Amino acid sequence: MTNPSLDDPQVFKRYDPEGMMNHLHRLPQLCQQAWQMALDFKLPPDYADIDKVLVLGMGGSAIGGDLAASLAQAEARLPIIVCRGYELPGFTDAKTLVIASSYSGNTEETLASFEQALKTGAKKLAITTGGRLKDLAQERGIPIFSFDYQAPPRAALPFSLLPILCFLYRLGLISDKSPAVAETVPLLEGLSSRIDETVPQSQNRAKQLARRLYNRLPVVYGAGITAEVARRWKTQLNENSKAWAFHEVFPELNHNAVVGYQFPEELASRIVVVLLHSALLAERTQLRYLITGQLLERAGVSYQTIDGEGQSPLSQVMSLVLFGDYVSYYLAILYKTDPSPVKAIDFLKQQLTKG
């Protein structure tokens, strides 16, 4: 059976009834909106008196913290840590800013760790659309960055990333990212116009890569500011495309993963490695990309390099994020599956309620 044509408008109507494509179109403007909302948000002055930032979250909400931490790493004077799970780290104290990020406000792992944080002297902030998290924060007078955007949590990424970056800036921890946002928004609009559903596959790199990944196992490599983008690609391929996918990070992968290219031999022809590259990466890291490509060729493993766009780290990261979102969307269409629902997660949550 042949898979769908990515140049047929009717295909998108058939397999995307909930309109995931609309969220991809809106991502650039959502970045602008989320940044402005965060600039206008009232932060308590004493929140600057901290020595660490702890982001609580899972899935599409946690990835914003991951990306923010990677973007802030080069200049932040304190650690920014993302906590995925039920347990609050033991180092949480009065010098900690705890940011609980949950799109729905009902993520059970995030709620469990946030409720533990309520028993500490930590400074606290919630990012959510509502749910139990918003109720808990309101009851205790904790600042709430509340937004109203109806979408799967992973499609609301700007609201879990840009506010954290903005708060770090306003607390004096990193430089003002307004110029980077001003560069990133039109750059993303331009990128989207080159890879959206109206651009034919012959001229559309995102559609071409999706074709290449069809019926293959994607493994995504990143480094530095692209390391967490690789995680984003992996999770988007899982949730949008309903496909197996994995990610690895330089330079660590050069100390183990490259040795594993040999067996099982039959996998070599079934894997496609995607290397997420940025011209801003360290020179030695970029050399590792080239040498790793040689090792992949020697092992008979197909690979492709995708470069970030723009001058700022934010534009490099977000251009790679958006490109990956489009690839995962097109791959879902090729698999004739709706990119929006996550039925396996829904089943898991239902079963957990019985436990």
Side-chain angles (χ1 to χ4, degrees), residues 86-89 111-120 124:
Y86 294 92
E87 300 298 327
L88 188 75
L111 286 173
S113 53
F114 184 64
E115 287 172 352
Q116 294 168 49
L118 294 176
K119 301 173 184 177
T120 73
K124 306 164 193 78

Side-chain angles (χ1 to χ4, degrees), residues 23-35:
H23 299 305
L24 302 186
H25 293 166
R26 295 187 65 182
L27 188 139
Q29 284 306 313
L30 290 179
C31 289
Q32 181 64 61
Q33 180 183 345
W35 181 257

Side-chain angles (χ1 to χ4, degrees), residues 25-329:
H25 293 166
R26 295 187 65 182
L27 188 139
Q29 284 306 313
L30 290 179
C31 289
Q32 181 64 61
Q33 180 183 345
W35 181 257
Q36 188 58 53
M37 288 173 62
L39 285 174
D40 297 337
F41 184 75
K42 186 175 181 180
L43 275 176
D46 66 324
Y47 274 33
D49 184 23
I50 56 173
D51 60 17
K52 53 191 166 301
V53 176
L54 181 62
V55 181
L56 312 178
M58 300 297 302
S61 298
I63 193 65
D66 293 322
L67 294 170
S70 69
L71 287 166
Q73 184 174 359
E75 56 179 314
R77 57 177 175 78
L78 46 70
I80 302 162
I81 304 154
V82 178
C83 175
R84 288 175 165 85
Y86 294 92
E87 300 298 327
L88 188 75
F91 57 69
T92 308
D93 57 19
K95 287 282 193 176
T96 307
L97 172 59
V98 174
I99 302 175
S101 180
S102 169
Y103 174 88
S104 67
N106 294 316
T107 309
E108 70 169 59
E109 301 95 329
T110 305
L111 286 173
S113 53
F114 184 64
E115 287 172 352
Q116 294 168 49
L118 294 176
K119 301 173 184 177
T120 73
K123 299 163 179 65
K124 306 164 193 78
L125 190 153
I127 299 177
T128 186
T129 63
R132 178 63 176 153
L133 177 59
K134 188 173 184 178
D135 292 341
L136 285 171
Q138 284 179 330
E139 291 168 5
R140 291 159 177 78
I142 294 168
I144 305 167
F145 181 87
S146 181
F147 62 96
D148 181 17
Y149 183 64
Q150 298 302 310
R154 60 192 183 278
L157 172 65
F159 293 104
S160 63
L161 166 59
L162 275 303
I164 294 177
L165 273 183
C166 188
F167 299 154
L168 294 175
Y169 151 60
R170 292 180 55 198
L171 294 174
L173 305 176
I174 61 174
S175 60
D176 184 5
K177 301 306 174 191
S178 295
V181 174
E183 176 200 18
T184 300
V185 172
L187 184 146
L188 293 180
E189 291 173 336
L191 174 61
S192 185
S193 72
R194 302 196 307 273
I195 60 174
D196 72 14
E197 74 281 15
T198 66
V199 179
Q201 182 175 307
S202 62
Q203 303 169 35
N204 190 319
R205 294 185 301 127
K207 289 182 179 180
Q208 292 166 9
L209 180 54
R211 283 281 178 193
R212 193 172 183 183
L213 296 180
Y214 177 74
N215 271 344
R216 297 292 187 270
L217 176 61
V219 181
V220 189
Y221 286 1
I225 59 171
T226 76
E228 296 302 335
V229 184
R231 183 201 293 264
R232 167 72 174 189
W233 273 59
K234 179 263 182 191
T235 58
Q236 290 293 82
L237 290 164
N238 294 153
E239 296 187 63
N240 287 347
S241 314
K242 316 300 186 279
W244 285 85
F246 300 93
H247 82 287
E248 297 263 10
V249 175
F250 285 101
E252 176 64 22
L253 70 87
N254 286 157
H255 294 263
N256 36 65
V258 293
V259 186
Y261 294 165
Q262 192 170 355
F263 300 113
E265 292 180 357
E266 60 269 22
L267 281 184
S269 64
R270 306 297 298 172
I271 293 173
V272 176
V273 175
V274 180
L275 295 96
L276 303 183
H277 178 263
S278 168
L280 302 180
L281 295 175
E283 184 178 339
R284 296 291 290 178
T285 301
Q286 295 192 56
L287 179 58
R288 287 178 179 273
Y289 273 69
L290 294 174
I291 299 171
T292 300
Q294 295 170 10
L295 288 169
L296 288 167
E297 289 177 359
R298 286 170 53 183
V301 177
S302 175
Y303 73 94
Q304 182 168 335
T305 301
I306 306 296
D307 290 293
E309 299 183 14
Q311 300 300 311
S312 68
L314 181 63
S315 66
Q316 290 270 317
V317 163
M318 289 307 298
S319 61
L320 288 170
V321 165
L322 183 60
F323 193 97
D325 286 2
Y326 269 101
V327 170
S328 68
Y329 176 88

